[in-house]
Amino acid sequence: MVKSSSDYVKAVEGGIQPTQAIETKIYKRRWLVLIIFVLYSASNAMQWIQYSIITDLVVKYYDVSSFSVDMTSMIYMITYIPFIFPASYFLDKFGLRWAAILGALGTCAGSWIKVFSVSPDRFWVSFVGQTTVALSQTFILSVPARLAAVWFGPDQVSSACSIGVFGNQLGIAIGFLFPPMLVTSSEDINVIGQGLQLMFYIVAAVTSVILGLILLFFKDQPPLPPSPAQAVQREVDSQESFFSSIKRLATNTGYLLLLLSYAINVGIFYAISTLLNQIILKHFPGHGMDAGRIGLTIVCAGMLGSVVCGVVLDKTHKFKETTLGVYVFSFLGMILFSFTLDLQKIVVVYVTAGLLGFFMTGYLPVGFEFAAELTYPEPEGTAAGLLNAMVQVFGIAFTTFYGYLIGVWGDYWANIALCAILFVGALLTYIIPNDLRRQNAKF
C-alpha cells in the first residue's frame, strides 16, 4: 500500500495503478446514517430563509428595516467564512459523529432561543437564535461528500452525495413553503406574532427529535472501508495534518478554478433566494404566498436535478462534462428567468424558476463530486468546506450587489448582470483540467 498522500498522487498522476489487497465491505446501516443526515441538514437549512421569505411581515411585526431581515439570511454566509476552518479541522480530527452532534446541538439551541423572541421589541433575540443556528451549519454543508465516500461503494458514492445535498435543499424548500402558510398577513401584529410563535415551536420540536436520533443512531464510519480508495484515504487522514491538506489544495490549479466557478453559481442562487420575496412582490403585489411557492418550485426542481445528476455521474463518470453541461444550462435558465418576469404572468415565472432551480441547485452535488475527483486523496470534508466558504463570500457580495442594482437600475438589469457573471463562471468551468484522480485510483 502507498504510505503517503504525496506518493499516492504521484503514482496516480504517473499512470501507475496501485494494487491493494484490502478487505472492504458495504454495510446496510449506511442508509440509516444517510437518512438521519438528510433530516439533520434539512432542520438547519429550513431556518436560513424563514424570515426573508416573509420579509414584509417581519418588518411590520418587529418594526425593523428590510435590510435587517436580509441579514437573518446573510448571517449564514457571514458566520460560515471564519468558522469553516475550525469546523473542518474538528470534522477531520474527531469524525462525522461528533461533528454531527455539535451541529445538531447548536441547531436545536438556536431554535429554542427563537421561541422566546416573539415580542415586537425582541428582534435581537431572534437574531441571536438565528446566528446560533447559522454557526451550526459549518458542521453540515461540507459533510455530504465525506459521508458518501466513508459509507458508500464506488457505484453509489455520487448518488449518495446528491442525496446528502438533497437534505439541504429539502430544508430550503420547507423554509420557502411553510413560513408564508404559518405566518399570515394581518393588520393586527398580534396575529403575526401568533404565527411566528407557532412556527418557532414547530421548528424547535423538530430539531429536538433530530438531535435525539443523532445521539442514538448516527455513527462515524463503518468498521471496514467500502472501497480500496477509501482504505487509502483513511491512512492518509491518519498521517497527514489538516494544514498540509489546505496547502496542497491551495496549489491545485483545477480545484482553484472550480472554487471560483462553483462560488459564482451557488452565490448567485443565494442572492436570488434571499431577495425573491422582494422581486415577486414588485412584479406581483400581494402575492407573498406565491413568492414562497416559487422558491419552493426552485428548490424542488433542484432536488430532482441533484438526484438526476448524481445518477448520471455514477453511471457515466463524466465529471467535467456533467459539471460544464449543468453550468451552461444554469446560465440559460437565468436568461430565461430574467426575460420573462415582465410578462406579468405568474405561471410563466413558476415554469422559468423551476428550470433555473433544476440546473442551478442541481449543480451543488456535481461540484462536490468534481472537487473530490480533482483533490483525491485529500479529505472530502476539507475540499467541500473550502468550496462552501468561497460560496459564502460570493453569496454576501452577490446579495449586496444584487440588492443595490435592483434599487438603482431595477431587477431587469440586475438579472442581466447576474447572467454575465454566470457566463464567466461557465468559461472558468470549461478550462478546468479533466484530472479525475479518484477514478484513476481504480475506485
Side-chain angles (χ1 to χ4, degrees):
M1 179 186 290
V2 179
K3 294 300 181 184
S4 74
S5 62
S6 57
D7 291 341
Y8 193 87
V9 171
K10 287 177 182 176
V12 170
E13 291 178 334
I16 303 170
Q17 304 301 331
T19 58
Q20 301 171 334
I22 282 232
E23 186 179 1
T24 62
K25 183 178 179 180
I26 297 175
Y27 294 81
K28 292 181 180 179
R29 189 187 185 93
R30 69 193 186 280
W31 294 110
L32 176 62
V33 173
L34 182 59
I35 290 170
I36 292 174
F37 174 77
V38 166
L39 297 175
Y40 159 49
S41 179
S43 72
N44 183 279
M46 68 185 182
Q47 300 183 61
W48 166 53
I49 207 76
Q50 71 176 170
Y51 293 97
S52 295
I53 200 59
I54 52 171
T55 296
D56 52 327
L57 302 182
V58 177
V59 166
K60 181 186 292 185
Y61 182 76
Y62 287 111
D63 191 24
V64 294
S65 66
S66 60
F67 178 77
S68 296
V69 181
D70 291 344
M71 282 298 297
T72 63
S73 171
M74 290 175 63
I75 195 65
Y76 267 66
M77 310 174 207
I78 293 169
T79 55
Y80 194 90
I81 298 166
F83 287 99
I84 183 54
F85 296 102
S88 294
Y89 176 80
F90 188 92
L91 175 63
D92 290 340
K93 186 74 173 178
F94 299 102
L96 286 170
R97 175 172 167 80
W98 283 108
I101 289 174
L102 195 57
L105 276 171
T107 301
C108 185
S111 302
W112 279 104
I113 288 172
K114 285 190 277 187
V115 166
F116 301 99
S117 71
V118 183
S119 176
D121 61 345
R122 293 185 193 165
F123 181 74
W124 68 272
V125 177
S126 235
F127 201 83
V128 169
Q130 186 75 345
T131 303
T132 304
V133 177
L135 284 168
S136 304
Q137 74 152 346
T138 57
F139 296 99
I140 299 173
L141 290 187
S142 57
V143 166
R146 182 181 178 93
L147 188 150
V150 166
W151 281 93
F152 287 80
D155 295 329
Q156 294 180 329
V157 67
S158 294
S159 297
C161 180
S162 70
I163 294 171
V165 173
F166 175 94
N168 182 266
Q169 297 167 345
L170 175 64
I172 296 173
I174 294 170
F176 275 123
L177 178 64
F178 285 104
M181 294 172 60
L182 296 172
V183 188
T184 55
S185 181
S186 174
E187 293 302 318
D188 185 356
I189 64 169
N190 291 320
V191 174
I192 298 175
Q194 290 170 5
L196 289 170
Q197 187 85 72
L198 176 61
M199 178 174 69
F200 293 149
Y201 267 119
I202 290 173
V203 172
V206 168
T207 55
S208 299
V209 171
I210 292 171
L211 174 59
L213 290 175
I214 288 174
L215 290 170
L216 291 173
F217 302 112
F218 196 88
K219 300 299 180 184
D220 184 45
Q221 63 182 15
L224 295 174
S227 66
Q230 182 56 214
V232 171
Q233 186 115 34
R234 285 191 185 186
E235 181 172 336
V236 168
D237 290 349
S238 67
Q239 292 178 354
E240 299 288 345
S241 73
F242 173 75
F243 297 102
S244 296
S245 180
I246 292 289
K247 183 178 179 181
R248 285 190 296 273
L249 290 175
T251 58
N252 185 322
T253 303
Y255 177 71
L256 293 177
L257 288 170
L258 179 64
L259 198 65
L260 289 174
S261 62
Y262 184 89
I264 287 173
N265 191 304
V266 185
I268 287 176
F269 168 71
Y270 281 6
I272 293 171
S273 299
T274 300
L275 300 175
L276 184 64
N277 176 269
Q278 298 172 44
I279 295 170
I280 297 302
L281 289 181
K282 181 178 179 181
H283 288 272
F284 305 95
H287 284 254
M289 289 284 286
D290 281 301
R293 290 168 183 161
I294 289 170
L296 175 67
T297 301
I298 291 173
V299 180
C300 287
M303 288 190 284
L304 177 61
S306 293
V307 174
V308 169
C309 290
V311 172
V312 168
L313 288 179
D314 276 332
K315 296 294 184 183
T316 67
H317 302 299
K318 300 289 185 181
F319 290 86
K320 179 177 177 177
E321 293 85 347
T322 304
T323 303
L324 181 59
V326 173
Y327 213 115
V328 169
F329 279 109
S330 296
F331 166 66
L332 296 175
M334 187 66 203
I335 291 177
L336 193 61
F337 179 75
S338 302
F339 281 91
T340 54
L341 274 174
D342 284 331
L343 295 178
Q344 295 299 311
K345 293 184 178 179
I346 196 76
V347 175
V348 174
V349 179
Y350 274 94
V351 174
T352 57
L355 289 173
L356 178 65
F358 182 89
F359 295 106
M360 187 169 278
T361 317
Y363 175 77
L364 296 172
V366 176
F368 276 167
E369 284 298 282
F370 195 22
E373 290 292 334
L374 292 170
T375 61
Y376 181 82
E378 307 301 339
E380 296 88 355
T382 304
L386 289 177
L387 279 182
N388 282 317
M390 188 62 75
V391 163
Q392 312 312 316
V393 174
F394 278 55
I396 294 168
F398 288 154
T399 300
T400 305
F401 179 63
Y402 191 39
Y404 172 78
L405 290 183
I406 289 174
V408 175
W409 291 349
D411 62 90
Y412 176 79
W413 287 107
N415 286 333
I416 294 300
L418 295 190
C419 289
I421 297 170
L422 270 176
F423 180 73
V424 173
L427 290 179
L428 289 173
T429 303
Y430 177 75
I431 62 176
I432 296 174
N434 197 21
D435 182 17
L436 306 183
R437 296 179 178 182
R438 192 169 62 174
Q439 295 302 311
N440 292 336
K442 293 291 186 182
F443 206 153

